[in-house]
């Protein structure tokens, strides 16, 4: 089916107390793998690209890949810009046809974050494209284009004021997760999440989920998380598949052969996490 926007998917998830898995893709094989996983489990799914992925190959390249995979699929697929780092990049993705946009003004002071988020929401909403924003600081580096210090965890009252001031559709919250590989087991502030949920009614988003124990992810979903982002572990899965193939076939030279094994690893990983999100059978 044609690409869909994330709005209805996340509102349905919110009502049904599950989450939609959002998977970062880096190449055609990862796109195929994630969509195949969603199809096998009859799950709605979000595929997303960060600014560094778009530096490697631009919005048109990724949009064409995901659009093609979506049209061949029988489940709803969203093409989302992850951590849009500027108004200009958000508009590039919007014009390319992305059906969901994140503008990440979280490294900026509150008022500037409000300003850029409101500007992106005003540009996207007339075309029916929903917008995700972030308040507070998810640890680690989302991407090699994002930096800044910022305040650490999301303050519930600030979150409420931010949502009212921006008209944003979904909010990524900082409750102790970090992007990349964790050194230990992350401890999340679930009480804070509950407090945010109590006064912010829009769907909430969990970033930095690779390495977060599945039970903790489920506890977050029970407290209002409707979109769960996985990136690092997909990259690791793809690399694991390719490495295993090359180890077993040291003379291999055909990318179709080793990429296929990377693709299979990503598919298995995505299926596992779709089940953790509880979105299997929801398409
Ligand atoms: P991880 O790389 O920790 O899975 O984070 C994913 C993410 O939040 C992408 O925005």
């Amino acid at each position: 089916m044609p690409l869909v926007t994330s709005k209805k998917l996340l509102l349905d998830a919110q009502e049904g107390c599950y989450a939609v898995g959002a998977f970062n893709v880096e190449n055609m094989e990862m796109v195929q793998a994630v969509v195949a996983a969603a199809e096998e489990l009859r799950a709605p799914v979000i595929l997303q690209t960060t600014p560094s992925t778009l530096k490697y190959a631009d919005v048109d390249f990724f949009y064409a890949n995901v659009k093609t995979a979506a049209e061949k699929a029988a489940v709803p697929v969203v093409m989302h810009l992850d951590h849009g780092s500027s108004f200009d990049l958000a508009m590039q993705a919007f014009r390319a046809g992305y059906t969901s946009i994140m503008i990440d003004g979280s490294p900026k002071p509150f008022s500037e974050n409000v300003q850029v988020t409101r500007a992106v929401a005003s540009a996207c909403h007339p075309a029916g494209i929903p917008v995700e924003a972030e308040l507070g600081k998810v640890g680690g580096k989302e991407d090699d284009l994002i930096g800044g210090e910022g305040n650490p965890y999301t303050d519930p009252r600030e979150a409420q004021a931010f949502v009212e001031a921006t008209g944003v559709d979904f909010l990524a919250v900082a409750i102790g997760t970090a992007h990349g590989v964790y050194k230990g087991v992350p401890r999340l502030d679930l009480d804070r999440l509950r407090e945010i949920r109590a006064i912010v009614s829009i769907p909430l988003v969990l970033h930095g989920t690779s390495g977060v124990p599945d039970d903790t992810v489920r506890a977050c979903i029970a407290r209002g998380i409707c979109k769960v982002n996985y990136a690092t572990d997909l990259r690791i899965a793809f690399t694991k598949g390719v490495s295993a193939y090359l180890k077993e076939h040291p003379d291999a030279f055909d990318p179709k052969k080793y990429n296929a094994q990377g693709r299979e690893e990503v598919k298995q990983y995505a299926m596992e996490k779709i089940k953790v999100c509880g979105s299997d059978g929801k398409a």
Side-chain angles (χ1 to χ4, degrees):
M1 64 176 78
L3 282 166
V4 300
T5 79
S6 49
K7 183 93 179 193
K8 184 173 182 315
L9 258 53
L10 294 194
L11 290 177
D12 285 352
Q14 189 173 38
E15 204 182 311
C17 294
Y18 61 92
V20 179
F23 300 98
N24 286 68
V25 290
E26 313 290 344
N27 58 25
M28 180 191 76
E29 287 77 8
M30 292 173 82
V31 171
Q32 292 174 315
V34 173
V35 174
E39 283 242 86
E40 200 161 318
L41 293 173
R42 312 293 314 154
V45 74
I46 298 171
L47 277 67
Q48 52 189 23
T49 53
T50 60
S52 75
T53 302
L54 297 175
K55 209 171 160 195
Y56 182 70
D58 63 27
V59 284
D60 296 322
F61 180 90
F62 277 102
Y63 175 73
N65 262 263
V66 176
K67 176 176 179 278
T68 304
E71 283 171 356
K72 290 178 190 298
V75 295
V77 177
V78 174
M79 171 89 256
H80 177 78
L81 175 67
D82 188 27
H83 292 291
S85 48
S86 65
F87 181 83
D88 284 354
L89 184 63
M91 289 306 101
Q92 270 179 45
F94 172 71
R95 280 193 291 270
Y98 277 51
T99 54
S100 182
I101 302 281
M102 179 183 186
I103 176 72
D104 183 2
S106 64
K108 300 177 192 292
F110 182 83
S111 62
E112 287 177 40
N113 190 359
V114 167
Q115 207 176 9
V116 71
T117 302
R118 195 166 43 200
V120 172
S122 303
C124 292
H125 283 166
I129 300 300
V131 174
E132 175 184 334
E134 181 171 319
L135 187 66
K137 191 77 188 104
V138 175
K141 274 196 161 183
E142 291 95 352
D143 191 292
D144 57 17
L145 290 181
I146 308 268
E149 288 306 312
N151 51 336
Y153 288 4
T154 305
D155 176 81
R157 290 274 161 219
E158 252 189 19
Q160 187 186 35
F162 183 84
V163 169
E164 277 168 17
T166 57
V168 76
D169 302 275
F170 322 122
L171 185 68
V173 291
I175 54 165
T177 54
H179 298 92
V181 178
Y182 289 98
K183 292 211 169 67
V185 179
R187 291 169 57 85
L188 307 195
D189 190 344
L190 296 175
D191 290 339
R192 179 179 295 267
L193 179 57
R194 200 199 303 272
E195 282 170 38
I196 298 169
R197 165 79 302 153
I199 54 175
V200 173
S201 60
I202 62 171
L204 303 176
V205 182
L206 188 67
H207 280 243
T209 320
S210 295
V212 176
D214 292 342
D215 281 348
T216 308
V217 176
R218 289 189 194 97
C220 290
I221 294 169
R223 288 163 180 78
I225 291 292
C226 304
K227 172 175 180 271
V228 179
N229 284 13
Y230 293 97
T232 302
D233 278 352
L234 269 87
R235 296 173 186 154
I236 291 172
F238 185 78
T239 307
K240 185 175 144 202
V242 171
S243 306
Y245 187 90
L246 291 175
K247 198 167 169 206
E248 215 175 304
H249 307 88
D251 298 328
F253 59 85
D254 183 348
K256 294 193 288 298
K257 296 274 170 38
Y258 51 81
N259 282 343
Q261 196 151 326
R263 180 169 62 189
E264 186 54 28
E265 287 287 338
V266 172
K267 181 182 169 196
Q268 293 310 321
Y269 179 83
M271 284 178 69
E272 205 183 289
K273 298 308 174 187
I274 284 170
K275 289 183 198 156
V276 172
C277 289
S279 57
D280 49 316
K282 299 293 196 295

